[in-house]
Amino acid sequence: MQSEPLFLALLLGAGVLLLIATDRPSTTLALGAGGLLALAALTRSSALALAPFLCAPLFDGRYPRRARAHIAGAALVGFLFLLAPWTLRNALVFGEFLPVNDAAGNAFYQGNSDWTVRFYRVRTREQYLAWMKAFDEDMQRRTLELDRTGRGSPAGRSRAFARQAFEERRSDPAGWAKLFLQKAWDWLRPYPNPLFWPPAAVLAAAAYNLLLYGLAAAGFAVARRPRVRAFALAFLAVTFLSHVVLIVVWRYRIPYWDPVLLLYGVFGAGTLLEAWKRRSRESPPPAIA
């Protein structure tokens, strides 16, 4: 069981309601969009980075500024209304401001520590299993040490892990830049990690994703709603950068990128097919000898 299926449904729901609330101005739907995004953030905390996208209606010039502000404000209210109880609970239990208990510092450490540098040197399944065993033991040791020194609260633990990551990377700035490039490729590559999947699955996934990338590029090129396209491209960029900075796992990309790529990929495929049919109809029939 993973969180991605639930997260995908909530994220798609938020996007659909926000788009409809903007096309057909509706306070209720805007509230629903913000609420679903809050539930998505409670499912996977990386969705917190998407809260600014609820302000997208402000940039829709079809309506007066006041109406646009009303829709965007309603979306933000819906988001804060469902997130606030959990933030209040964290404040009462831990005495700290935590929008959600996201372990961000822990994720930052896992994605930027010396362990991650070693991970990208792994070349065999046996090396990976040895790396994973040593990594788990080290993380347990570090966590117990934080608990013993009184820094075991969520925010304290998060700050401590973030500091450890900065200390390890500060000694090698060039290596950190290389690590970011490796994580970027890990997110963008069209196939899953060959360490975990058989060759047939890797090749099939590569063929599918390369086709999807190409069709999505065609769809973006001919999209009829440029502002929605700009929204989608910004969404892809933010989700990409936020994960490269923290931690990249290939399956994390799927609920964020695949719906957008499929949306524009299907449109691109349909557009190319229509163009091919039109060209076929307009071509003169071959001469009969």
Side-chain angles (χ1 to χ4, degrees):
M1 294 293 291
Q2 301 290 352
S3 63
E4 281 78 14
L6 174 61
F7 177 72
L8 175 58
L10 294 170
L11 189 62
L12 279 176
V16 169
L17 290 185
L18 184 65
L19 181 61
I20 298 174
T22 306
D23 279 345
R24 308 170 188 174
S26 167
T27 301
T28 302
L29 293 180
L31 285 167
L36 286 180
L37 185 61
L39 293 176
L42 291 169
T43 305
R44 292 197 64 81
S45 58
S46 55
L48 289 172
L50 303 178
F53 283 89
L54 295 173
C55 298
L58 292 173
F59 301 95
D60 192 332
R62 293 175 294 175
Y63 308 109
R65 183 178 302 173
R66 182 176 179 180
R68 288 180 273 160
H70 184 80
I71 298 301
L76 290 172
V77 167
F79 178 80
L80 294 174
F81 181 77
L82 280 185
L83 199 68
W86 301 92
T87 306
L88 178 61
R89 179 262 179 194
N90 289 335
L92 293 174
V93 173
F94 302 114
E96 300 168 334
F97 174 72
L98 290 168
V100 297
N101 192 354
D102 58 0
N106 189 297
F108 183 76
Y109 179 80
Q110 292 186 46
N112 295 279
S113 67
D114 289 342
W115 285 107
T116 315
V117 175
R118 296 172 199 164
F119 170 78
Y120 283 110
R121 296 172 184 163
V122 169
R123 293 294 178 267
T124 67
R125 179 76 174 176
E126 291 71 24
Q127 290 176 351
Y128 169 74
L129 293 175
W131 174 89
M132 177 59 76
K133 182 176 183 296
F135 172 69
D136 284 344
E137 291 174 351
D138 184 64
M139 289 298 294
Q140 291 178 21
R141 179 187 61 78
R142 291 174 185 272
T143 302
L144 289 174
E145 180 63 25
L146 290 174
D147 291 342
R148 281 196 295 267
T149 56
R151 293 175 292 170
S153 69
R157 185 181 297 172
S158 186
R159 288 192 297 267
F161 274 115
R163 282 195 297 269
Q164 290 174 14
F166 278 115
E167 289 172 3
E168 292 181 14
R169 297 275 61 77
R170 194 175 291 123
S171 60
D172 185 20
W176 202 357
K178 180 182 178 182
L179 182 60
F180 281 137
L181 290 175
Q182 289 172 316
K183 291 197 291 182
W185 168 244
D186 219 6
W187 182 273
L188 295 171
R189 59 185 165 84
Y191 55 87
N193 195 324
L195 288 175
F196 311 132
W197 296 92
V202 173
L203 290 173
Y208 165 77
N209 281 294
L210 287 173
L211 178 63
L212 181 60
Y213 285 175
L215 292 176
F220 275 116
V222 297
R224 297 167 188 167
R225 300 189 65 179
R227 292 188 180 184
V228 177
R229 174 177 58 194
F231 178 94
L233 289 172
F235 175 86
L236 294 179
V238 167
T239 52
F240 165 72
L241 292 173
S242 60
H243 282 83
V244 168
V245 168
L246 287 173
I247 184 171
V248 169
V249 177
W250 203 64
R251 78 168 193 272
Y252 293 175
R253 189 200 70 183
I254 294 172
Y256 280 115
W257 272 41
D258 281 27
V260 178
L261 295 177
L262 284 167
L263 178 67
Y264 282 92
V266 170
F267 175 63
T271 302
L272 292 173
L273 182 60
E274 285 298 320
W276 177 78
K277 288 181 178 179
R278 193 180 311 115
R279 192 177 301 112
S280 298
R281 287 193 298 265
E282 294 171 355
S283 299
I288 301 176

